[in-house]
Each structure stands twice: as structure tokens, then as C-alpha cells.
Amino acid sequence: MNKDIFLSNSLGGEKQKFIPINDKNIGMYVCGPTVYDDPHIGNARPIVIFDILFKVLKCKYGKNSVTYVRNITDIDDKIIKSSKEKNISILDLTKNITKVFHEDCEYLKCETPSHEPKATDNIKLMIEMIENLIKKGFAYESDKHIYFKVKKFSDYGKLSNKKLDDLIAGSRVDVSENKNNPEDFVLWKPSETNEPSWDSPWGKGRPGWHLECSVMSKKYLGSTFDIHGGGRDLIFPHHENEIAQSVCANDTKAFAKYWVHNGFITISKEKMAKSQGNILKISNFKKKYNGQVLRLALISSHYKQPLDWNDKLMDDCYKTIDKWYSCYTKINKKVLIDDEDLMPLYDDLNTPSYISVLHKLFEKAKDGSIDDKEKFVAACNFIGLLNETKDQWMSFKKSKIKLSEAEINSMIDQRNKARDNKNYELADKIRNELMDKGILIEDKDGKTTWKIK
């Protein structure tokens, strides 16, 4: 069976067969968080999507043949602004938010990348790249700022598939009297008093956001690598600027070969934004849902498409995971997943189709052999699901229940007495109260039993 991987490449706008530069040394760089505030579900989607792509690449080429780099941006205008608003030092802010980010990744059942560099650990390399760009005539100094000369890079706009004039007109471009041209973007800027700063040939200052990823990707993956990932909002100007400065600094024809971008998350059809007051942070879900539920919800739509978030989506995913745990079995040996079952993931990470495969495997496993159950669990494990034991799943379910077992039994006794007295309105009220608290009751053969919803 053909097990070639296909990916939608934003550079060209079509699905393409993935042909690595070197199948023994595949590189993938994904833009990580800017650590100024707790991550939200919009941040969670690329975390999970590229975690699955990492798994697929390792499955195809071997775990030692894939290097996954995801950066931490710990110096940026947003960070400086947030530290002032929260009245906390930048060091403490970035340290705290980075810790929360790692906890969220663990909650979402994501693997740790091969490397996770911080911007502030690579300032020296950023200064060297800027010096190189100035030397080659692609950058210039103006009032202690360094800018990239966009018009000197003829391929600018190729990723976003728009002309330079259209990009400038349709986007928010920083306006500054220091620039030679409005489309030029900053590589280095002077720091204000009490802002983080580093010594440079142009005075104390800090790097531009776009430069950070160019430097850190080169450090770990080289001047040209296979896959660059991130959200669609990063195509312009961030990824467009990365390409320009990297190609010019490194004397290469290309930066990344494949550009993979995930779609936005909307909340009940509205864009998620602070101005809308509908930001859903990952931490909001932790008390109510096991991380596997959120993970399943995030891959319920194809990564390229928008994902509309609502309560029904989470409830449906919760019920699915709970149902699947009825077939859980511990795997004590290596279980191979059929190539045919994996094909949806090889075909542009089609997670909805793969979830359909899991439903079919579940139907076979629930009345099938131990081998059928192991194959089902292994297929779930492959995308980061059912990787906790059934006891752990049940323990989480019980932790959500605010009633003790004695209180539950007491309410059931009250309901049974109400039924005996033909007070069906009260009996239904008690049943509904239990259901609201996560308890389902069942009447069978004259007995009432209960289980966690």
C-alpha cells in the first residue's frame, strides 16, 4: 500500500507529496507561544496538530530521523505591556507563563519537542544575522533601528500569494518615520528605560519578533529544512518576513520546503478575541474535562478548516472518550496498526477520517477478541488518546462528582419513596438533580443502580 505522506503546502496553495530533503534527518519548526498570558484554545490547536504530525513523521521515517523544534518567544512588545499591566517583572512573567504552557501541553497529552529554544538565549546569533544582512545590503540602520529592505527581496509575498502593494494596504504595517519605505520591517530596535536590552553595534536594544524564528530554526535545523508550521494568522507578516530575511542572510533559494498552517477557532461562529470577551483559556477546561476530551475536540475538524467551538462539541467528545474506555485494555506487547487504518493521517492529517476509523475499530473491539481491543487501543494511542488507564479515567470522572456515595444513595432512596407514593414529579426532580451532578441512574428488575455520567 502507498504510504506516502501528503501535506497542504501554503507555499503554492495545494496538497503535495511530502519528499524530505534528507529522509534520515527531517526537520520541522513550529512557532511556539509568546509567553505574555495563559494559553487559550486557539494556541492549543497547533500544539496538538503538529504533535500528531510529529508522530506521523516518526512512524514513517523512524523516531531518530525527525527533529521537531518549537520555540518560546520570551521577549516581545506584548510581554513588556503585560508585565506592566500585571505589575510583575518580565522575568517572573515569562517564567510563570512558560510553566503554565508546559503544564497545558502535558494536559493535552503532547510529546515534548526535540528542542524548545528561548529567544533570549539566542540574542548573539540574532545580532550576527543582522550584521550579515547589513553587509549584504539587505538591511539598514536608521536612528538606532535596523530595518530589512523588503523591495530588495523579489519573492516577497510569494507565501501569502499577494503583491507587495496589496499586502501593505490590507494589513497592519508598523508606521515609522525611521523607515526608508513603509513595508520595511524591524530587525532590531532600541529599548526604552527599564525594558530588557542587550548590547549591540547599534546600541542597547532588542530583536524584532520575526528575526527570532529565523535564527532559532537555522541553529537546530540548518539554513533550509522540511516543514515550517503555525496558525494561519502567521502567514503575513511573520512567516513572509522569516522567508525574506532567512533566504537573504543564508544565500539559499528556499527557507522551508513545506508551509503548513492550521485554521482559526471560532466561538459559536464568532472570532475568538479579547474585544469579544470570548477567550477560552486551556486552564478553564481542566477542572471539568480530562485533557483527552479537549484533544479530541481540537482534531474533530480538519486542521486547515475553521473549528467552531461550543458546549455540544465538548459533550460529544466526552461521551466518545467515555464510550471508548469501555473497550480499554492494557497493551503489554508491540501492536502494529494496519496501514489502511493509518492512511487518513498520511493524507494531509485527515483527523476526522481517522476518528471514523477509530469508531469502526471500537465496534469490532467491543464484542471482539483481546487482539481486537489491543488494536483499537493502539490506534487511539497513536494520536494521543486512551493513553491513561481506565482506573485513571474513572478517577478523574469521580473527582468531578461533588456528592459522596452516601449522599447519592440517600437521594436514590428519596426518589424510590417518591415513586412508591406515586409522586412522580418529585422522583423526576431528584433524577434530574443527580444527572446535573454527573450521576446517571437506571431502574432494572426492581433495583436502581447508578454510575458516573
Side-chain angles (χ1 to χ4, degrees), residues 288-290 292-294 296-297 311-327 355 359 362-363 376 385-386 393-394 396-397 400 435 438 440 451-453:
K288 188 174 182 181
Y289 294 106
N290 182 286
Q292 297 177 76
V293 178
L294 187 56
L296 181 60
D311 291 340
K312 185 179 183 302
L313 173 65
M314 289 300 290
D315 289 342
D316 288 346
C317 289
Y318 173 83
K319 290 173 184 175
T320 295
I321 296 290
D322 193 45
K323 179 180 71 173
W324 285 354
Y325 261 105
S326 67
C327 269
I355 292 168
H359 281 297
F362 169 78
E363 290 300 320
F376 166 67
L385 301 174
L386 267 60
W393 172 256
M394 293 304 297
F396 184 85
K397 287 179 67 176
K400 299 192 305 169
M435 191 178 296
L440 290 175
K451 64 180 181 180
I452 299 170
K453 186 171 144 183

Side-chain angles (χ1 to χ4, degrees), residues 236-263:
F236 183 84
H238 185 50
H239 288 165
E240 201 75 73
N241 291 353
E242 277 188 63
I243 293 172
Q245 61 203 10
S246 294
V247 168
C248 294
N250 301 331
D251 295 319
T252 57
K253 291 184 178 180
F255 178 38
K257 192 174 178 182
Y258 301 87
W259 289 82
V260 182
H261 294 100
N262 63 273

Side-chain angles (χ1 to χ4, degrees), residues 1 13 103-104 106 153 164 185 196 345 435:
M1 179 174 288
E103 290 170 350
D104 289 347
E106 184 177 353
F153 182 58
L164 181 58
F185 59 88
L345 295 179
M435 191 178 296

Side-chain angles (χ1 to χ4, degrees), residues 183-194:
E183 67 271 14
D184 295 345
F185 59 88
V186 69
L187 300 172
W188 187 267
K189 64 176 76 174
S191 297
E192 301 290 338
T193 305
N194 298 324

Side-chain angles (χ1 to χ4, degrees), residues 124-261:
K124 182 175 180 292
L125 292 176
M126 295 177 202
I127 292 172
E128 290 175 2
M129 181 173 278
I130 294 171
E131 289 178 317
N132 187 17
L133 287 167
I134 292 174
K135 182 179 178 181
K136 293 177 177 178
F138 290 107
Y140 59 92
E141 180 179 1
S142 176
D143 192 23
K144 298 183 180 180
H145 292 72
I146 309 297
Y147 294 99
F148 182 87
K149 298 178 182 179
V150 168
K151 287 182 178 175
K152 282 210 68 174
F153 182 58
S154 59
D155 281 341
Y156 194 85
K158 193 173 181 179
L159 178 65
S160 45
N161 198 30
K162 293 182 180 179
K163 295 180 180 179
L164 181 58
D165 290 342
D166 295 334
L167 286 170
I168 295 170
S171 303
R172 291 163 61 185
V173 175
D174 290 334
V175 177
S176 172
E177 60 185 19
N178 295 319
K179 296 181 182 182
N180 290 353
N181 295 291
E183 67 271 14
D184 295 345
F185 59 88
V186 69
L187 300 172
W188 187 267
K189 64 176 76 174
S191 297
E192 301 290 338
T193 305
N194 298 324
E195 289 182 355
S197 64
W198 290 263
D199 291 325
S200 80
W202 320 286
K204 285 186 173 293
R206 53 193 173 91
W209 171 42
H210 313 300
L211 186 72
E212 299 172 6
C213 291
S214 286
V215 165
M216 289 185 280
S217 61
K218 181 181 179 181
K219 178 178 179 179
Y220 292 98
L221 301 176
S223 298
T224 304
F225 54 93
D226 295 289
I227 299 170
H228 197 312
R232 287 196 59 81
D233 56 317
L234 298 180
I235 293 177
F236 183 84
H238 185 50
H239 288 165
E240 201 75 73
N241 291 353
E242 277 188 63
I243 293 172
Q245 61 203 10
S246 294
V247 168
C248 294
N250 301 331
D251 295 319
T252 57
K253 291 184 178 180
F255 178 38
K257 192 174 178 182
Y258 301 87
W259 289 82
V260 182
H261 294 100

Side-chain angles (χ1 to χ4, degrees), residues 19-35:
I19 303 174
I21 298 168
N22 177 356
D23 63 9
K24 302 297 182 186
N25 187 21
I26 294 164
M28 179 171 72
Y29 184 93
V30 177
C31 290
T34 299
V35 286

